[in-house]
Amino acid sequence: MPWAPELFTAPALQEILDKRRRDALVAVPYFDGLLAGDPDPLVESFSVQPEVHDPVRGRVKGEAAFRAFVIETSAWLRQHRASVEDVEHAVLERRGFEEVVVHLEMDDGPVSLPVAIVADRTVDGRIDEVRVYFTSQPLTGRHANRPPLLQPDPGLVVPDAVAAYLRAHATGDVDAVVWAFEPDGYLREPAGGSGVHTGPDGLRVYYERELSHGVGIPLETCALVEDGPVSALEYNLLREGTTPLPQAGVAVFARGPSGRLAAVRVYDDTDPALHPQNQ
């Protein structure tokens, strides 16, 4: 996801296929489309008018604004010698998501930026809206307070393991959060955090720090893309520690053999300085 392959010129599509060593694509990935440098197939992939929510550029809506965004972003990615590492993706009839790590050569050295992209589709398969999630800290040197992008859906049904995780996270129950994971499960923080936390001991250390003093962090569930054992959940984080600070995020949950969580990968812009242990 998200771009329609049939809208690309034959040479441009073949270049993408050659790079990916594929004979065909259901959808052209987000960054492949941007790096192709031609806004036309991207514009035409939308049902009505382009709309992208980008963590740095904000809401990009309308053809003129979107064309400028594509040209500027493509040039910026090339300037910083971007390469894209695939992590996970799902292309469903009405929604899809994509996870990648974008490797960049910045002035202060190399940066590896985890990125998640979620797209809504209309009945004809064209794109309604694209929402991009990553933490801006590695690019700008600071965290951003990104307002919610979606309204909460109180009736949203999520997999049992995800529901157990959300309940424990909201109440600050560290034992229950750790129990929601497989024995070898892991959490990956947004870029700018301290990285990956694996196994009961590593997870406990992280969540005791994040949820210290029993202060839970509630997440409003907004939208879900579920493909087998993998779910991408868009949410509104209501506060960081004791600081009210609603902001948008998405987390990808992968369930393991027992049904518990094998992996949780988080994409938001939370600031560790606002957690209780740092106040």
Side-chain angles (χ1 to χ4, degrees):
M1 56 85 58
W3 316 117
E6 65 272 15
L7 299 176
F8 286 74
T9 64
L13 182 59
Q14 191 60 53
E15 183 177 346
I16 294 169
L17 292 171
D18 290 345
K19 182 174 68 174
R20 292 184 163 271
R21 300 179 181 179
R22 298 282 295 277
D23 294 327
L25 287 170
V26 175
V28 172
Y30 181 79
F31 284 100
D32 288 46
L34 291 179
L35 286 166
D38 181 3
D40 287 348
L42 280 57
V43 169
E44 294 169 16
S45 291
F46 285 89
S47 177
V48 182
Q49 63 175 339
E51 183 167 357
V52 173
H53 294 266
D54 181 81
V56 174
R57 293 291 299 274
R59 185 189 189 198
V60 180
K61 185 172 184 178
E63 182 173 337
F66 179 70
R67 284 182 179 274
F69 169 77
V70 171
I71 292 169
E72 292 169 12
T73 303
S74 178
W76 187 89
L77 290 168
R78 292 180 183 280
Q79 175 189 350
H80 294 284
R81 299 181 181 274
S83 62
V84 181
E85 174 190 348
D86 295 325
V87 177
E88 185 64 83
H89 74 279
V91 182
L92 307 181
E93 184 177 355
R94 298 299 299 272
R95 306 195 73 224
F97 78 90
E98 179 183 348
E99 287 182 278
V100 300
V101 178
V102 181
H103 301 284
L104 302 162
E105 294 183 13
M106 305 296 286
D107 293 341
D108 295 333
V111 168
S112 295
L113 182 69
V115 181
I117 304 104
V118 182
D120 296 333
R121 295 183 178 275
T122 57
V123 292
D124 63 359
R126 296 297 176 93
I127 301 169
D128 181 37
E129 179 178 287
V130 175
R131 295 178 293 276
V132 183
Y133 296 89
F134 58 79
T135 179
S136 55
Q137 193 274 339
L139 303 181
T140 65
R142 60 184 178 82
H143 293 272
N145 177 22
R146 189 182 192 189
L149 303 178
L150 299 173
Q151 292 296 315
D153 181 356
L156 186 67
V157 177
V158 301
D160 290 345
V162 177
Y165 174 92
L166 295 175
R167 286 194 299 270
H169 201 264
T171 59
D173 188 338
V174 173
D175 289 338
V177 172
V178 173
W179 176 251
F181 286 83
E182 297 276 5
D184 59 350
Y186 72 89
L187 166 81
R188 191 188 70 192
E189 297 180 65
S194 56
V196 177
H197 308 271
T198 305
D201 292 340
L203 292 167
R204 182 172 296 279
V205 168
Y206 172 77
Y207 284 109
E208 284 181 346
R209 186 175 73 246
E210 185 188 40
L211 306 174
S212 60
H213 309 298
V215 176
I217 301 177
L219 305 178
E220 285 185 334
T221 57
C222 298
L224 182 74
V225 183
E226 186 172 5
D227 185 27
V230 180
S231 304
L233 176 67
E234 292 177 277
Y235 59 81
N236 297 328
L237 184 145
L238 298 183
R239 66 171 182 262
E240 293 191 54
T242 57
T243 303
L245 194 65
Q247 67 165 281
V250 65
V252 175
F253 298 88
R255 300 185 295 283
S258 74
R260 289 192 280 170
L261 300 175
V264 176
R265 296 182 291 270
V266 179
Y267 302 86
D268 60 29
D269 224 343
T270 55
D271 185 350
L274 295 178
H275 291 168
Q277 75 282 359
N278 295 319
Q279 294 179 359

